[in-house]
Each structure stands twice: as C-alpha cells, then as structure tokens.
C-alpha cells in the first residue's frame, strides 16, 4: 500500500528528521559493544565469545535453555543484563538508551525491561527501576527524548510470579513505569495467555497499559489470546496474524497496533527475506502497524536504517513514512498532550518537505 512514490529522497537523514516514537525496543538489546566490554571488565566476567564477534550469539557458549536462534539470543540478553551491578551502571544504561533513540530522531519511546534478564537485581526491583528513572530524568533534562518503562514478564514464569510483579508495580508506582508487558519464546513456553490473564486483568484495573509479545515464534493463536485474555492495547510483533484472515479483520477493526520489527524477524529466521515478510500485507489489510528495532545494538542496526530498508523494499515514499510516524505516536503510551504535540510536529515536517 504505497501512498506516494514521488517527493523527497528517502534516506537516513530524512528519517532522522521525521518526528516519531518507538514502541517495541528492549533496553537489554541496546548495549553497544563498548558498553559490554566495559561492564564485563568491571564485573570481572569473561566474554561468552570473541570481542569482535560478540553479537554472533548462536556461536557462544552460554549455558541453559532450549536450542534455537531465539533461545540463544535470550540467553545472551541474560548475560548482558547480568553485567549491570550498580545503580550508576543502570542509570547510565538508561541514559545511553535515550541518547541512542534521540540520535535516530525518536521523540518518545516505550522501552521494555524484563527483570529476569537483570540477574544481580533479584529482590531489588525498586532500586533497579529507580536507577533507570534517574538516568532517564537526566537524559530528559539534557534535551534527549522522553522515555517511559514497560516492565515485562517472561513467558516461563508462573501465575504467582506474574501477580507478584503486578502487585509490586501497583503498590510502589515506580517513576516512569507505565505498562505491563510479556515477552520470551512463545514456541518454548507454549500457550501462556490463560496463565497470565489474571495478572494482566489486575494491571488493567489498576490503570496500567498493556503490551504483549505475540504472533512471532508461535502462530495467530497467541495474538487472539493477547486480545481476548490479556486485554492487550498493543501487540509486539504480531506478524503471524497475517496467516488468519479473521484475525486480520479483528485487528483492522479494533486498530490495536502491531509493533513490528522486520529485521529482527529476519535475523531470528522467522522469514528468509523482506519480500516474504508480511508487513506490506498487514498494512494493506488496514492494520495499524509501526516499525521498530526490537534489539538494535545486538543486531547491528538503527531505527533510521530500518525505515530506509523498508522504504527501499516496499516502494514507500514520504507520505508512507509520515503515516508510520503518526502510527508510532498514536500507538505509544505517551501522555495525550505529548502525543498531540508530536502529531502536530509531524504535520509541520511533512508540510515543510512538501513545499520544498
């Protein structure tokens, strides 16, 4: 569904200048190589592989878990998060995330944090999230983008662990923590919607926003469960919905947005190439779609390069990218007044580019 093929050249400079949000990105996947080398040295921890190929996670000797690209990648995220031991390191990770997003032209981001990846902080979640908030406060004071936090469950956790996390969020109300998420390997964990329905119901009743990883390593059933059992306001990935015409109509009618991450899907072997990726089909069906990075540092790319790659692959022009920017802002959990301001900025940007 190409709205425009003429107009300004689509390149990374244009994409960086376009106001936008990012709604599907994990803090655990945003450590640059220099960050990891520094943290590993401070923690006196060995690298799981050679420094030059540290992000080639399928070659590393990181024990535990099921075989497969996604499982290996999740174990690597455990190793990364486990290197962060002090509040200063956690705050610096959050600050650098905001800087990374801002460098890509992101004006607001919902960043996902799964506490199970941060092994040194078990039993100290309050201190961890306080450190993240402190780093993001400093970043915003320095003129970087606004970032809020989505605390994520791991699919292998129990209903009791899920309830414990939700109860803590509701009672403590950590600064900047606005949403409950769930992530992990759908195929390895099996159907999890019924297991976590109560926890997500509590979160909804307490006013927390809800976003759910679904329709990635499993089929459309996970998306149905996210909508019907977990009261999801946003679906992270959701690409396997393209296999179910009834589900596509449900998503189009409800305008529950998908946080799609095409390059992540390719890197983890979900699709062999962009031509076979269902992103154009999802848009053509009228589904609200956003384009995001998932774990960009670990996978070696940035948001602007991903948008340009999609534009090149699918023939998108400025109007298409402006539509994606508006969709990203509308799909975000930013406060309504910030959403309105950012949408107005997109309109001004497009008007200026069109006149020129």
């Amino acid at each position: 569904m190409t709205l425009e093929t003429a107009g300004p050249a689509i390149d990374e400079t244009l994409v960086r200048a376009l106001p936008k949000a990012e709604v599907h990105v994990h803090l655990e996947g945003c450590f640059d190589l220099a960050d990891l080398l520094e943290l590993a040295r401070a923690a006196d921890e060995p690298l799981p592989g050679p420094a030059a190929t540290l992000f080639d996670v399928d070659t590393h000797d990181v024990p535990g878990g099921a075989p497969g690209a996604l499982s290996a990648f999740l174990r690597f995220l455990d190793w990364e998060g486990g290197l962060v031991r002090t509040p200063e390191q956690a705050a610096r990770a959050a600050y650098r995330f905001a800087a990374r997003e801002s460098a890509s032209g992101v004006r607001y981001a919902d960043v996902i944090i799964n506490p199970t990846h941060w092994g040194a902080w078990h039993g100290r979640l309050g201190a961890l999230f306080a450190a993240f908030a402190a780093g993001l406060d400093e970043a915003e004071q320095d003129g970087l983008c606004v970032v809020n936090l989505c605390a994520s469950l791991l699919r292998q956790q129990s209903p009791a662990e899920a309830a414990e996390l939700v109860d803590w969020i509701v009672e403590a109300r950590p600064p900047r923590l606005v949403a409950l998420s769930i992530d992990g390997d759908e195929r390895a964990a099996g159907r999890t919607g019924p297991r976590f329905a109560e926890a997500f119901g509590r979160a909804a009743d307490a006013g927390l926003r809800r976003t759910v990883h679904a329709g990635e390593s499993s089929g459309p059933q996970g998306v149905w469960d996210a909508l019907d059992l977990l009261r999801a306001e946003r679906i992270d990935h959701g690409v396997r919905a393209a296999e179910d015409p009834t589900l596509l109509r449900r998503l189009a009618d409800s305008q529950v947005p998908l946080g799609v991450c095409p390059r992540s899907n390719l890197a983890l072997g979900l699709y062999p190439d962009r031509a076979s990726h269902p992103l154009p089909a999802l848009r053509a069906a009228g589904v609200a779609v956003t384009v995001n990075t998932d774990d960009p540092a670990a996978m070696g790319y940035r948001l602007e390069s991903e948008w340009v790659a999609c534009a090149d692959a699918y023939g998108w022009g400025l109007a298409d990218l402006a539509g994606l920017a508006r969709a990203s802002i509308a799909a975000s959990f930013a406060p309504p007044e910030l959403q309105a301001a950012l949408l107005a900025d997109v309109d001004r940007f497009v008007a200026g580019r069109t006149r020129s």
Side-chain angles (χ1 to χ4, degrees), residues 43-130:
D44 196 25
E45 288 284 346
L47 302 179
T53 57
L54 192 61
F55 293 126
D56 296 339
V57 299
D58 57 344
T59 67
H60 296 340
D61 183 21
V62 180
L70 181 54
S71 291
F73 186 72
L74 293 173
R75 295 195 297 274
F76 182 71
L77 296 186
D78 287 339
W79 175 78
E80 286 189 316
L83 297 176
V84 175
R85 309 287 173 83
T86 70
E88 292 76 18
Q89 290 172 334
R92 185 53 43 186
Y95 185 100
R96 288 179 176 173
F97 171 81
R100 181 186 182 90
E101 292 290 286
S102 297
S104 295
V106 172
R107 304 275 290 277
Y108 174 86
D110 291 318
V111 66
I112 301 164
I113 295 164
N114 188 318
T116 67
H117 291 311
W118 303 76
W121 297 87
H122 293 168
R124 298 191 296 142
L125 281 190
L128 177 63
F129 278 87

Side-chain angles (χ1 to χ4, degrees), residues 113 115 125 129 149-153 161-181 199 202-203 206-209:
I113 295 164
L125 281 190
F129 278 87
L149 308 171
C150 304
S152 192
L153 295 161
E161 289 171 316
E164 181 180 1
L165 178 63
V166 171
D167 288 346
W168 171 72
I169 296 171
V170 171
E171 180 179 349
R173 293 291 178 176
R176 293 184 180 266
L177 205 168
V178 298
L180 181 67
S181 174
R202 289 192 202 180
L208 286 172
R209 312 301 297 270

